[in-house]
Amino acid sequence: MRRSSAKQSLDSFHAALNGLLPKDIRVRELSAAVPEFHARFSAQSKVYRYQIYNDTFMDPFQRYWAYHCAYKLNASKMRETVDLFVGMHDVSAFANATREDGVPDPLKSISRFYVIQMGSLLQLEVEGSGFLYRQVRNMVALLIHIGKESLDSDIVPMILETKDRRVLAKYTTLPVPPHGLCLVSVKYKEDHLKLPLDCPVTSFGRHHTITKCKLPFY
């Protein structure tokens, strides 16, 4: 197949795929991949963000994307605490049980954990080699208690050391709701992102143009 024909075929597939997906999901970029590429196992790190709207009343425009906490949080204390999660840890205490086959590796490396305050909106952004089931939401739940100043920061290393989810449940019974959580990006191995030889170039979507414009004459 000629390269131009392959590009047209990829663009057509791209358009058809977006035509079948729900309106709130869109594929913005599409390209061929090497056989070694795997959406899950080729990942080197993932970035998650959890949003908390910290004010007396919830902003109605944020209600689908942020968790509402009316209790005033100490963002500075939360910012100091997140550093205790950075590094390689056994995070079993922050994971809920899952029905997936196999036993996931509890050793996870967190490279950065930020608390960003933008007015009433708090963004907790964490990057790590991987995360266990509900790990991020459980970490945020504990950080909210620390932000309320009902718990001290030294509770984090203590809970991590136990490797027991039941210990975390003594301080926070439930993870925060899922609607505040967003997967921001996934970083893949560079060699797995190289385009195969003689493959069509990446599709960024088909742009429609008007080639002729007929105007009525008066």
Side-chain angles (χ1 to χ4, degrees):
M1 181 183 293
R2 292 182 302 176
R3 195 176 184 85
S4 59
S5 298
K7 176 66 169 67
Q8 292 175 1
S9 178
L10 191 64
D11 284 343
S12 297
F13 178 72
H14 193 171
L17 187 60
N18 278 329
L20 292 171
L21 288 170
K23 291 182 178 181
D24 56 350
I25 300 175
R26 281 296 174 266
V27 176
R28 300 179 63 185
E29 183 178 332
L30 189 68
S31 67
V34 295
E36 295 81 14
F37 177 81
H38 190 287
R40 179 182 175 187
F41 299 116
S42 296
Q44 286 187 318
S45 69
K46 298 176 182 178
V47 178
Y48 279 97
R49 180 185 297 147
Y50 196 91
Q51 297 197 132
I52 303 169
Y53 195 80
N54 189 207
D55 207 340
T56 306
F57 301 104
M58 181 62 180
D59 182 342
F61 294 104
Q62 296 285 347
R63 69 188 187 279
Y64 293 128
W65 326 114
Y67 167 65
H68 181 217
C69 179
Y71 195 103
K72 184 62 178 176
L73 299 175
N74 186 335
S76 296
K77 189 171 183 181
M78 294 170 70
R79 198 172 288 116
E80 294 171 2
T81 305
V82 292
D83 288 338
L84 299 172
F85 286 105
V86 175
M88 181 73 75
H89 300 285
D90 184 321
V91 293
S92 300
F94 287 88
N96 282 31
T98 175
R99 295 179 181 178
E100 293 181 5
D101 294 333
V103 179
D105 183 2
L107 284 176
K108 302 297 179 185
S109 175
I110 292 180
S111 55
R112 63 181 179 91
F113 203 155
Y114 298 151
V115 177
I116 305 163
Q117 187 166 19
M118 299 182 296
S120 297
L121 192 66
L122 280 178
Q123 291 186 341
L124 281 69
E125 189 167 291
V126 57
E127 179 175 357
S129 59
F131 298 90
L132 296 182
Y133 184 57
R134 293 187 178 175
Q135 177 189 334
V136 175
R137 289 166 55 196
N138 281 319
M139 291 192 299
V140 172
L142 184 66
L143 286 167
I144 287 176
H145 283 284
I146 293 170
K148 290 178 179 179
E149 300 183 342
S150 58
L151 293 173
D152 291 325
S153 299
D154 57 7
I155 196 73
V156 172
M158 187 276 286
I159 292 176
L160 282 169
E161 186 65 27
T162 66
K163 306 173 187 177
D164 190 344
R165 175 65 178 83
R166 291 171 295 181
V167 176
L168 177 65
K170 295 177 181 178
Y171 303 97
T172 173
T173 55
L174 295 172
V176 286
H179 68 276
L181 185 65
C182 175
L183 175 62
V184 177
S185 64
V186 180
K187 296 181 181 179
Y188 289 104
K189 299 174 183 177
E190 288 293 333
D191 56 330
H192 286 193
L193 291 179
K194 293 180 179 178
L195 293 177
L197 296 175
D198 299 323
C199 72
V201 294
T202 300
S203 169
F204 295 99
R206 183 180 293 162
H207 295 277
H208 298 280
T209 58
I210 298 175
T211 56
K212 292 182 180 181
C213 182
K214 293 183 179 180
L215 297 175
F217 290 96
Y218 295 98

